[in-house]
């Protein structure tokens, strides 16, 4: 009888797929989810941009800025973890916003996030070509970009497990590099490597440890926040986790230690070894790998081929970001299609559990954004500008959704002690995260407002993403006449 039931269930699933009913497969293991959480925010933001942050605000100022953003991200991830453990869906915060705030808000968040990663995919394949120029300067960049776009697509098209495996190994390379860097750095600081005791002298150089006061710290909040973006990927991956009630909390708990070890200690090591006045710290792009803080520290202790080693590591970071970005945007698009917020054909899933129509559509859009960088540089620039704030807007969505989630849970007579994972410090956590995100969004280019004449072009470049998001949100709200969901009507069902 059990065999007949099993056969019937399997046959029904196959028939459902043939008829267009969509199901994804829960094939992400605990180690995959943990590495997605750990590797989500480790990339060029840490390997390259931290140098410019130290140069701008001094080593102490950089630690304060990254520490504050790190605390905010920790609260955001615990908020997301509470919701994702109870309702593990690939739509993640877009779905939560639709259920606990307003369907129009969820619609805008979903399309906002999809657009962000579609453009980021273009950024990463451009970056990959620049990195490959280091070794093969004579090969046309477009060939490398096409090759890596094909690789990123393939890793997503094979199965969710292939994405999980690739992200696991990409993240492991980054993690090992950072651990080795911290170890080498500490030995260098105490003179065991390099033959010279450095100590804390660079923390008292000039007006260090904080250079430029409070405004300089605020000026790098946006850079710090941008570096941490990607941590929310674990919420989307929860929809394909084998045991989300166990694996999601475990992955979320890694966030705090990652922030402490990978950012705070790494920045402290860089600030102790390299003076904040060094012009080499100004490089923050993939064409500045030769003067990456990591490269400079490795070269200082005589490690041969330091630039090549870091080039390889940063290439894996770029591929990791591209692969994860395509995965996240594809799942978001598929989830919105299921909820009737995107064209219906995008909800089609193949027999491997991959939403291929959503995957192909996102890849094409990312490819077109990449081509705009070649044939229309101005268009590409504005695409980048439009996507600049989207990560912070998504974080605001997480904070607001969790606040309403918890209120609705209590309003419906449920006991919060029954939650598998509960975010600590509620409501302080989501409120603090919301306030910091708003400050970062409006303060990212405050210089444009304090000049003798307002720099309207600078304002447009920095804030174009905000009116686009509001237009999508309010447009959907007006057309569909949506309202804020009453707390007692909020749904906690996984569907």
């Amino acid at each position: 009888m059990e065999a007949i039931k099993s056969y019937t269930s399997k046959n029904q699933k196959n028939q459902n797929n043939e008829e267009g009913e969509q199901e994804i497969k829960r094939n992400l293991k605990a180690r995959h989810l943990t590495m997605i959480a750990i590797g989500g925010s480790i990339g060029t933001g840490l390997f390259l941009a931290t140098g410019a942050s130290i140069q701008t605000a001094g080593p102490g100022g950089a630690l304060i800025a990254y520490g504050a953003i790190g605390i905010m991200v920790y609260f955001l991830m615990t908020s997301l973890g509470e919701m994702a453990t109870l309702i593990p869906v690939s739509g993640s915060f877009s779905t939560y916003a639709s259920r606990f705030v307003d369907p129009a808000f969820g619609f805008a968040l979903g399309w906002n996030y999809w657009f962000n990663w579609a453009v980021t995919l273009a950024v990463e394949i451009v970056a990959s070509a620049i990195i490959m120029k280091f070794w093969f300067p004579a090969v046309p960049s477009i060939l490398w970009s096409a090759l890596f776009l094909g690789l990123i697509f393939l890793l997503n098209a094979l199965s969710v497990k292939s994405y999980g495996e690739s992200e696991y190994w990409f993240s492991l390379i980054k993690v090992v590099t950072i651990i080795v860097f911290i170890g080498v750095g500490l030995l260098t600081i105490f003179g065991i490597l390099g033959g010279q005791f450095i100590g804390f002298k660079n923390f008292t150089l000039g007006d260090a440890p904080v250079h430029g006061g409070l405004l300089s710290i605020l000026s790098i909040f946006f850079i710090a926040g941008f570096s941490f973006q990607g941590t929310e990927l674990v919420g989307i991956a929860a929809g394909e986790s084998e045991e989300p009630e166990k694996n999601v909390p475990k992955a979320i708990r890694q966030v705090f230690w990652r922030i402490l070890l990978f950012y705070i200690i790494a920045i402290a090591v860089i600030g102790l070894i390299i003076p904040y006045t060094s012009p080499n710290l100004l490089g923050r792009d993939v064409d500045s790998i030769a003067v990456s803080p990591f490269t400079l520290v490795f070269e200082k202790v005589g490690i041969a081929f330091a630039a090549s080693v870091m080039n390889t590591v940063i290439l894996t970071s770029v591929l990791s970001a591209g692969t994860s970005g395509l995965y996240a945007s594809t799942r978001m698009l598929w989830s919105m299609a299921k909820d009737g917020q995107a064209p219906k054909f995008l909800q089609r899933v193949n027999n491997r559990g991959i939403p291929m129509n959503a995957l192909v559509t996102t890849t094409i859009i990312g490819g077109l954004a990449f081509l705009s960088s070649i044939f229309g540089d101005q268009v590409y620039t504005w695409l980048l500008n439009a996507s600049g704030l989207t990560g912070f807007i998504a974080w605001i969505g997480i904070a607001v959704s969790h606040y309403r989630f918890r209120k609705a849970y209590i309003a419906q007579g449920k006991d919060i002690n029954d939650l598998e994972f509960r975010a600590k410090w509620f409501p302080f956590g989501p409120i603090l995260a919301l306030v910091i995100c708003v400050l970062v969004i409006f303060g990212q280019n405050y210089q444009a407002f304090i000049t003798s004449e307002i720099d309207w072009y600078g304002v447009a470049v920095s804030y174009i993403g905000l009116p686009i998001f509001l237009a999508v949100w309010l447009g959907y709200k007006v057309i569909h006449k949506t309202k804020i969901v009453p707390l007692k009507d909020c749904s906690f069902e996984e569907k």
Side-chain angles (χ1 to χ4, degrees):
M1 182 63 70
E2 289 300 318
I4 293 173
K5 284 183 179 179
S6 176
Y7 173 80
T8 303
S9 176
K10 184 177 181 181
N11 194 49
Q12 183 64 47
K13 282 187 178 181
N14 289 338
Q15 185 179 351
N16 285 345
N17 274 332
E18 289 173 4
E19 293 174 355
E21 283 191 31
Q22 317 310 323
E23 290 186 26
I24 56 177
K25 297 184 178 181
R26 293 190 179 276
N27 287 336
L28 290 178
K29 300 182 183 299
R31 64 186 180 90
H32 294 145
L33 213 60
T34 299
M35 275 302 188
I36 288 170
I38 291 176
S41 68
I42 301 174
T44 54
L46 174 60
F47 295 126
L48 295 171
T50 48
S53 298
I54 292 170
Q55 202 275 340
T56 301
L63 284 172
I64 293 170
Y66 279 81
I69 295 295
I71 291 170
M72 177 196 76
V73 170
Y74 174 73
F75 284 132
L76 280 172
M77 291 308 99
T78 56
S79 291
L80 183 59
E82 182 172 298
M83 295 185 288
T85 302
L86 184 66
I87 314 171
V89 292
S90 292
S92 193
F93 42 86
S94 172
T95 300
Y96 306 145
S98 293
R99 291 190 187 188
F100 303 112
V101 185
D102 180 353
F105 187 51
F107 174 83
L109 277 178
W111 281 105
N112 169 82
Y113 197 70
W114 173 82
F115 171 75
N116 173 44
W117 280 113
V119 173
T120 300
L121 176 61
V123 173
E124 303 305 343
I125 59 178
V126 168
S128 68
I130 295 173
I131 292 170
M132 294 305 293
K133 282 285 186 183
F134 180 89
W135 292 300
F136 306 100
V139 178
S141 297
I142 194 168
L143 293 181
W144 292 119
S145 295
L147 174 65
F148 288 122
L149 179 61
L151 176 61
I152 290 169
F153 174 82
L154 187 63
L155 289 171
N156 275 274
L158 290 175
S159 68
V160 68
K161 191 174 181 180
S162 67
Y163 158 69
E165 283 295 328
S166 64
E167 185 59 19
Y168 176 84
W169 290 106
F170 285 151
S171 296
L172 189 61
I173 291 171
K174 294 184 282 187
V175 168
V176 170
T177 300
I178 296 167
I179 292 173
V180 170
F181 170 79
I182 291 173
V184 168
L186 291 175
L187 292 175
T188 304
I189 291 166
F190 293 104
I192 299 171
L193 289 177
Q196 180 184 2
F197 178 81
I198 297 174
F200 292 88
K201 65 180 182 181
N202 287 326
F203 261 66
T204 57
L205 180 70
D207 61 351
V210 177
H211 170 61
L214 180 61
L215 287 180
S216 68
I217 296 174
L218 292 176
S219 70
I220 61 172
F221 262 45
F222 187 80
I223 299 172
F226 196 79
S227 297
F228 283 113
Q229 286 180 17
T231 49
E232 71 285 343
L233 286 169
V234 69
I236 294 173
E240 291 172 274
S241 171
E242 281 185 342
E243 297 178 283
E245 70 282 354
K246 295 180 181 178
N247 296 341
V248 172
K250 183 179 178 181
I252 292 295
R253 291 187 184 104
Q254 303 289 328
V255 173
F256 177 75
W257 298 109
R258 177 196 57 218
I259 292 168
L260 179 66
L261 177 63
F262 297 154
Y263 272 90
I264 304 303
I265 298 181
I267 289 173
V269 167
I270 294 168
L272 286 165
I273 295 175
I274 305 173
Y276 78 91
T277 54
S278 172
N280 288 331
L281 291 177
L282 287 172
R284 65 173 62 174
D285 298 317
V286 289
D287 56 357
S288 307
I289 292 169
V291 290
S292 157
F294 282 65
T295 305
L296 294 174
V297 170
F298 284 142
E299 286 180 340
K300 192 176 184 68
V301 298
I303 295 179
F305 312 114
S308 283
V309 170
M310 285 311 303
N311 218 56
T312 304
V313 171
I314 292 173
L315 179 61
T316 63
S317 296
V318 166
L319 292 176
S320 171
T323 307
S324 292
L326 185 55
Y327 169 81
S329 52
T330 296
R331 271 33 178 205
M332 186 64 76
L333 196 57
W334 168 77
S335 180
M336 288 191 296
K338 283 193 68 178
D339 293 338
Q341 296 181 333
K344 191 174 181 180
F345 81 97
L346 295 169
Q347 64 179 305
R348 180 73 182 176
V349 172
N350 65 17
N351 56 12
R352 296 190 306 278
I354 304 298
M356 283 301 295
N357 288 349
L359 177 62
V360 170
T361 300
T362 304
T363 304
I364 290 173
I365 297 300
L368 290 175
F370 161 70
L371 289 176
S372 72
S373 70
I374 299 175
F375 301 110
D377 190 58
Q378 194 64 34
V379 175
Y380 179 68
T381 300
W382 279 100
L383 285 173
L384 288 180
N385 294 336
S387 68
L389 294 176
T390 52
F392 293 98
I393 293 172
W395 285 354
I396 287 176
I398 292 171
V400 174
S401 297
H402 179 235
Y403 184 84
R404 294 269 303 172
F405 168 94
R406 183 71 77 87
K407 293 292 185 182
Y409 201 81
I410 295 172
Q412 294 182 22
K414 300 178 186 293
D415 186 353
I416 60 172
N417 293 313
D418 293 336
L419 291 169
E420 290 283 346
F421 177 79
R422 191 166 74 248
K424 297 178 181 179
W425 293 48
F426 182 90
F428 174 77
I431 292 174
L432 176 68
L434 174 65
V435 170
I436 293 179
C437 278
V438 170
L439 287 175
V440 171
I441 287 175
F442 287 101
Q444 65 152 320
N445 191 14
Y446 68 88
Q447 297 94 335
F449 297 98
I450 59 177
T451 55
S452 56
E453 291 185 12
I454 295 178
D455 178 9
W456 290 111
Y457 179 78
V459 171
V461 166
S462 301
Y463 299 101
I464 184 64
L466 203 54
I468 291 175
F469 173 78
L470 292 174
V472 174
W473 177 10
L474 297 177
Y476 188 91
K477 190 172 184 66
V478 170
I479 293 171
H480 294 274
K481 298 180 174 60
T482 64
K483 295 181 179 179
I484 294 177
V485 182
L487 293 177
K488 292 192 176 182
D489 293 338
C490 294
S491 172
F492 292 92
E493 299 297 321
E494 183 187 346
K495 57 183 179 179

